[in-house]
Amino acid sequence: MIYQIYPRSFQDSNGDGVGDLPGILARLDHLVTLGVDAVWISPVYPSPMADFGYDVADYTGIDPAFGTLADFDRLVSAAHARGLRVILDYVPNHSSDRHPWFVESRASRNNARRDWYIWRDPAPDGGPPNNWLSEFGGPAWTLDTATGQYWYHAYLPEQPDLNWRNPKVREAMLDVLRFWLDRGVDGFRIDAIHHLFEDERLRDNPPNPEWRPGLSPARRLIRTHTMDQPEVQEAVAAMRRIADSYPDQRVLIGEAYLPIDRLMAYYGAELSGFQLPFNFHLLSTPWKASAIAALIERYEAALPPGAWPNWVLGNHDRSRIASRLGPAQARVAAMLLLTLRGTPTIYQGEEIGMTDVPIPPERVQDPWERRVPGLGLGRDPVRTPVPWEAGAGAGFTSAAEPWLPLSEDGRPASVAAQARDASSVLSLYRALLALRRAEPGLSVGAYASVATDADEVLAYERRDEVTGRRLRIALNLGNRRRELVGFAPSGRLLLSTHLTRSGEAIRGAMRLGPDEGVVVELGSASGTRTEA
Ligand code: GLC
């Protein structure tokens, strides 16, 4: 069970309104009580913060805003002492334009590092070399007037793409992995991996017939020649060989927003790639029982033999689950996430039901919102500080103004308040994580869907193949009461998302309240497999 920390908004320890490493250290006990196994920390490297750390100016340092290398080492030891593993964010596709490599590369056409980035001559009309677009709006090429060539950037101009076809770049970037693995980190979340290579012939991307005004301008084109190119697989395998050369299994988690069939390639031939290519499909699947059941079946069926699944409900780039579905269904979503096979990743704040916080125009920080305003692409609303306690600064900061605003309506209640409330979202997350730890069938057991005749109910069984123990999960994705006939011939309620009932015996039918999810253990007495 992985927990994503967005460090700028987790805990500020020095009163500058920005979260930092000593802040994370001070809050480790929250994560232990919550019950996760590992933290993934979004980038903490030296950075001009054009993209809030995803523009790295030094891959082997710590930005002063977050602390020092000594703070980092202390955090890793303290986490390990508590049985928590630490996963760093690795940003191989691009560096910052202030990285010394790019500064040199830009200095002249014949600089030894010129070929460390992707430089091309202008098109005959002086414009960009081809039609490729930046994810954050505008062309993916920026002209360096001094040397008369364009550099390529899948994201901001301040994030020039590294040239992974250059063996020296590849070695330097693989050394970065070694640097942190030597320091004891337990793995990496690998940023934007699908962007690592582009077509060498620079062919234009074709137009996207499905693009409509209001969608991201980058989606005007289909990224045939800028995404998911074949060469990426060998680079992934090289990263994996390094991780595998260290003791105690280090994990590699790849960020790739791809259709299921393409995503599976990132497990690598004979599982020589990422252990966990992030599965983002719950973020885009309609919240309907039939659609989610079909997604689970399709994803499970597509997994290569021996591949381990994973699931995600949110991250620092996507609208929060409690905003997408509303607070009642966010609880049901938590039960889904934490009862599916594989590794779940929880995004900071999900465990207290944080929602997107509206950001007034004068407080916008995200470069995406600044470059493409008004389309709702900006990610600031999902990156606001965690409210730890009631009161000014919410226990996040002693500064007068945190870098992004706290929610104004005082919702959700703070971590401290929710810890005292036996029916809070936090109590639900703790109960779900504890149940998942107590019942190995929930993480590693077999998955089988269970048919019910109640619409808007998603039901499935998880079976511990070692003990034969069977758990049935029923999730009411609607807000009407449901009766599930023959759901559990003989069973016992282990957990309800409402946290108002547990332990009751189930004999055949099972009632589900509006927006309620349940986990039921099937009685061993019933023995044979029962059809619902
Ligand atoms: C990934 C990150 C996102 C960042 C982008 C560029 O998608 O999750 O936050 O802006 O890569 O590094």
Side-chain angles (χ1 to χ4, degrees):
M1 296 175 271
I2 301 174
Y3 182 95
Q4 179 192 357
I5 291 182
Y6 191 72
R8 296 181 68 84
S9 291
F10 194 62
Q11 175 66 56
D12 175 19
S13 73
N14 61 355
D16 63 358
V18 175
D20 46 45
L21 294 174
I24 299 175
L25 179 69
R27 293 293 184 188
L28 283 182
D29 289 336
H30 168 69
L31 303 172
V32 173
T33 319
L34 184 60
V36 296
D37 298 298
V39 291
W40 145 36
I41 308 174
S42 280
V44 287
Y45 315 108
S47 167
M49 304 288 165
D51 190 22
F52 296 103
Y54 285 96
D55 47 324
V56 179
D58 171 4
Y59 285 100
T60 56
I62 298 292
D63 193 278
F66 296 120
T68 62
L69 260 181
D71 290 328
F72 179 77
D73 291 340
R74 266 193 292 278
L75 175 60
V76 172
S77 325
H80 286 171
R82 288 165 173 83
L84 288 172
R85 299 189 131 206
V86 179
I87 297 166
L88 278 184
D89 215 307
Y90 173 60
V91 189
N93 179 65
H94 45 268
S95 72
S96 159
D97 62 338
R98 313 277 181 81
H99 194 293
W101 297 341
F102 188 74
V103 174
E104 284 183 47
S105 183
R106 191 176 181 166
S108 68
R109 285 200 187 206
N110 53 18
N111 187 279
R113 290 204 211 271
R114 185 66 167 182
D115 188 46
W116 279 47
Y117 293 84
I118 299 170
W119 292 99
R120 290 292 185 278
D121 288 333
D125 69 354
N130 64 16
N131 75 348
W132 295 351
L133 296 173
S134 155
E135 290 297 315
F136 290 154
W141 298 96
T142 295
L143 179 65
D144 176 54
T145 44
T147 59
Q149 284 190 312
Y150 283 84
W151 77 85
Y152 174 72
H153 47 88
Y155 295 92
L156 297 174
E158 294 88 344
Q159 294 169 296
D161 270 48
L162 283 156
N163 176 16
W164 272 75
R165 290 196 176 93
N166 181 332
K168 291 190 177 135
V169 169
R170 179 186 149 111
E171 256 329 287
M173 286 305 290
L174 294 177
D175 276 345
V176 170
L177 296 175
R178 295 188 182 97
F179 175 88
W180 294 107
L181 291 167
D182 285 339
R183 274 196 122 77
V185 315
D186 300 292
F188 300 91
R189 173 268 191 188
I190 292 136
D191 186 70
I193 190 65
H194 48 312
H195 280 293
L196 204 64
F197 287 87
E198 300 74 37
D199 180 39
E200 239 182 330
R201 291 161 53 200
L202 255 57
R203 281 170 287 184
D204 274 355
N205 275 330
N208 176 6
E210 279 162 30
W211 185 85
R212 291 168 279 111
L215 293 179
S216 169
R219 293 291 88 79
R220 278 172 180 270
L221 302 178
I222 299 175
R223 293 170 289 177
T224 316
H225 300 300
T226 45
M227 249 186 46
D228 192 24
Q229 303 295 297
E231 291 102 317
V232 69
Q233 298 305 338
E234 169 38 37
V236 170
M239 295 172 194
R240 176 64 182 273
R241 284 194 292 274
I242 289 172
D244 282 354
S245 70
Y246 283 78
D248 311 322
Q249 275 218 331
R250 315 289 168 112
V251 71
L252 298 182
I253 311 168
E255 186 211 26
Y257 286 88
L258 292 171
I260 288 178
D261 59 328
R262 288 306 312 154
L263 185 62
M264 294 303 155
Y266 288 75
Y267 281 102
E270 315 285 333
L271 303 184
S272 59
F274 297 136
Q275 291 100 328
L276 301 174
F278 259 143
N279 167 13
F280 293 124
H281 287 272
L282 280 178
L283 298 173
S284 49
T285 302
W287 198 245
K288 295 262 170 262
S290 55
I292 295 174
L295 164 67
I296 300 168
E297 297 281 343
R298 210 153 39 87
Y299 176 74
E300 283 275 354
L303 287 168
W308 180 240
N310 77 90
W311 297 93
V312 171
L313 287 178
N315 58 38
H316 64 297
D317 295 326
R318 295 299 168 117
S319 178
R320 284 187 176 276
I321 187 79
S323 287
R324 278 189 281 139
L325 305 179
Q329 278 298 315
R331 297 174 77 113
V332 177
M335 184 171 273
L336 173 68
L337 177 74
L338 295 169
T339 56
L340 285 175
R341 202 170 78 90
T343 294
T345 300
I346 297 168
Y347 174 47
Q348 127 184 344
E350 271 169 16
E351 78 277 25
I352 55 168
M354 282 181 76
T355 51
D356 299 349
V357 173
I359 307 294
E362 69 279 7
R363 301 259 342 234
V364 167
Q365 300 274 357
D366 186 7
W368 200 356
E369 180 67 30
R370 293 188 173 185
R371 288 166 62 98
V372 190
L375 296 184
L377 298 170
R379 300 161 297 175
D380 294 330
V382 313
R383 297 175 172 180
T384 59
V386 173
W388 294 98
E389 295 154 22
F396 165 72
T397 186
S398 57
E401 193 96 273
W403 79 289
L404 280 175
L406 289 149
S407 86
E408 268 181 5
D409 60 4
R411 273 181 296 172
S414 68
V415 173
Q418 294 202 28
R420 292 187 299 266
D421 171 0
S423 65
S424 65
V425 181
L426 180 59
S427 296
L428 173 63
Y429 265 87
R430 287 179 177 173
L432 279 166
L433 285 157
L435 184 64
R436 191 175 172 90
R437 198 170 291 285
E439 297 280 359
L442 287 179
S443 46
V444 301
Y447 170 91
S449 72
V450 170
T452 76
D453 49 16
D455 58 307
E456 284 321 305
V457 173
L458 174 63
Y460 47 92
E461 180 171 309
R462 304 299 316 283
R463 183 170 188 278
D464 185 327
E465 286 165 303
V466 179
T467 62
R469 185 169 163 76
R470 293 157 65 195
L471 302 178
R472 282 198 169 181
I473 293 95
L475 306 174
N476 187 350
L477 271 46
N479 56 8
R480 288 176 23 219
R481 197 176 298 282
R482 302 288 171 189
E483 184 81 9
L484 306 183
V485 182
F487 180 69
S490 150
R492 196 168 65 91
L493 181 69
L494 292 183
L495 185 63
S496 155
T497 52
H498 293 178
L499 298 174
T500 45
R501 53 179 185 148
S502 81
E504 65 195 58
I506 312 290
R507 303 240 177 280
M510 161 98 222
R511 77 188 156 75
L512 270 186
D515 305 299
E516 185 180 28
V518 294
V519 180
V520 170
E521 68 174 338
L522 292 194
S524 49
S526 68
T528 55
R529 196 185 162 83
T530 38
E531 296 314 317

